């Protein structure tokens, strides 16, 4: 057995990677990080049966994960900051700036090039499945959805893509425009979505939403209560609407920031409703900390993230995801799920917990979205991320820029695309 050159693996029909560490639940074993060996043959993980023809490599205790699932992104918005920065860093500043940029600039070529750039970043970082929300207010759906379908075909076999329609809840109604959008989503194999916020007739609109989704056999994904206003309580309305309508599809709710500012008993009762309705919750800690409780000249008091520990304690699947990348909603980000894991651990205090949270970046998002389950079991594809770290503190102390990403058992070229590729799209309109 020889020690590994971390940036390379030998070409061999059968490789046995010795002395790895992996989150115990991914191996069906108790414990936090547990020692394991992993054998790869013909692009898949196989049983660890010693054979004379296999090449053994000592991995030095490095941590291994299956490739990641990013369940909430906006690749249609990404990388417009250089031409349309957020003027004040607030949520409304982002909303208005993106709206202006979309109306002025979002041609098929513009959306495609920026979205493809984002996916190349995700690929290099070790992500194999992405759910993206697409701004779908007319007439943008006629541009972005065809581009998405082309990208899904282009990336087939590398990154599995899903899309969710994104409109305000007040767009949902008994109207031709709503029905037409739902048919676009259905024809694209997508997910029906909306942004919920307090409107007078939200129950009626949610009933229409779930009736439409149920009739078409679509799952649902909402942006919910993305505010620190405790009076924004549409998460409860969604949970009750699921029960009222008898909707049986998957329902995911992202953000849910106002739970963190509501009276404790009210917030926990809402989570009880969510558990009863079978919802999953996605937290976007990096973007929410950037936008929420921002008042220039004042230190933020709130983190903006939702009640992930309390949700998980109730059996609600909790997911963490990237959200926006270099656009007015978040000036940073690169669709790097290891960055999301690192920052979520720090922001949400996932450390010093009795539970392992790795599933929130892997199996939980896969289940919520219907993607193939990430696995280290024999028979699974050898789509893997191996980090130069032997413990969680080593993993999160550095950005892991030298991680190794394997697809079908072979190390990929992890060169990131150059931002200069998009320079011509950043010129003034």
């Amino acid at each position: 057995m020889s020690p590994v050159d971390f940036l390379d693996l030998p070409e061999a029909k059968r490789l046995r990677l010795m002395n790895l560490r992996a989150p115990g639940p991914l191996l069906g074993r108790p414990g936090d990080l547990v020692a394991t060996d992993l054998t790869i043959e013909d692009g898949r993980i196989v049983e660890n049966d010693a054979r004379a023809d296999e090449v053994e490599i000592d991995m030095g205790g490095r941590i291994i994960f299956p490739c990641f699932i990013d369940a909430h992104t906006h690749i249609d918005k990404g990388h417009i900051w250089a031409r349309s920065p957020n003027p004040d860093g607030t949520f409304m500043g982002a909303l208005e700036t993106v709206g202006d940029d979309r109306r002025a600039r979002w041609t098929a070529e513009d959306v495609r090039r920026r979205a493809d750039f984002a996916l190349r970043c995700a690929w290099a970082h070790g992500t194999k499945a992405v759910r993206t929300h697409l701004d779908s207010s007319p007439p943008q759906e006629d541009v972005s959805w065809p581009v998405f379908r082309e990208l899904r075909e282009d990336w087939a076999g590398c990154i599995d893509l899903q899309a969710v329609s994104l409109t305000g809840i007040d767009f949902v109604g008994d109207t031709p425009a709503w029905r037409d959008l739902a048919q676009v989503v259905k024809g694209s194999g997508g997910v029906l979505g909306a942004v919920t916020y307090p409107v007078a007739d939200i129950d009626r609109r949610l009933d229409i939403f779930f009736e439409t989704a149920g009739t078409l056999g679509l799952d649902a994904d909402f942006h919910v209560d993305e505010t620190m206003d405790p009076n924004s309580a549409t998460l409860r309305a969604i949970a009750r609407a699921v029960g009222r309508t008898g909707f049986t599809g998957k329902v995911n709710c992202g953000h849910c920031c106002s739970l963190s500012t509501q009276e404790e008993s009210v917030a926990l009762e809402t989570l009880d409703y969510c558990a009863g309705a079978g919802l999953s919750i996605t937290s976007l800690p990096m973007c929410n900390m950037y936008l929420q409780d921002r008042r220039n000249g004042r230190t933020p008091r709130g983190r903006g993230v939702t009640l992930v520990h309390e949700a998980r304690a109730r059996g609600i699947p909790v997911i963490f995801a990237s959200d926006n990348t270099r656009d007015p909603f978040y000036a940073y980000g690169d669709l790097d799920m290891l960055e999301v894991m690192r920052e979520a651990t720090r922001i949400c205090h996932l450390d010093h917990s009795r539970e392992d949270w790795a599933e929130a970046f892997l199996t939980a998002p896969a289940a919520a979205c219907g993607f193939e389950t990430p696995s280290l079991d024999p028979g699974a594809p050898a789509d893997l991320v191996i980090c130069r770290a032997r413990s969680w503190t080593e993993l999160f102390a550095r950005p892991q820029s030298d991680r190794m990403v394997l697809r079908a058992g072979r190390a990929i070229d992890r060169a990131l695309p150059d931002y200069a590729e998009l320079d011509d799209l950043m010129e003034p309109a």
Side-chain angles (χ1 to χ4, degrees), residues 57-73:
I57 306 293
D58 182 357
M59 300 301 292
R62 290 175 172 86
I63 298 175
I64 188 168
F65 301 99
C67 282
F68 294 103
I69 310 293
D70 204 342
H72 184 126
T73 70

Side-chain angles (χ1 to χ4, degrees), residues 350-389:
L350 305 186
D351 52 0
H352 296 276
S353 171
R354 294 181 179 179
E355 299 183 72
D356 170 51
W357 281 88
E359 67 177 32
F361 308 84
L362 293 160
T363 54
C369 298
F371 289 125
E372 180 183 22
T373 302
S375 175
L376 298 176
D377 293 336
D383 298 334
L384 307 166
V385 179
I386 305 174
C387 299
R388 193 193 293 271

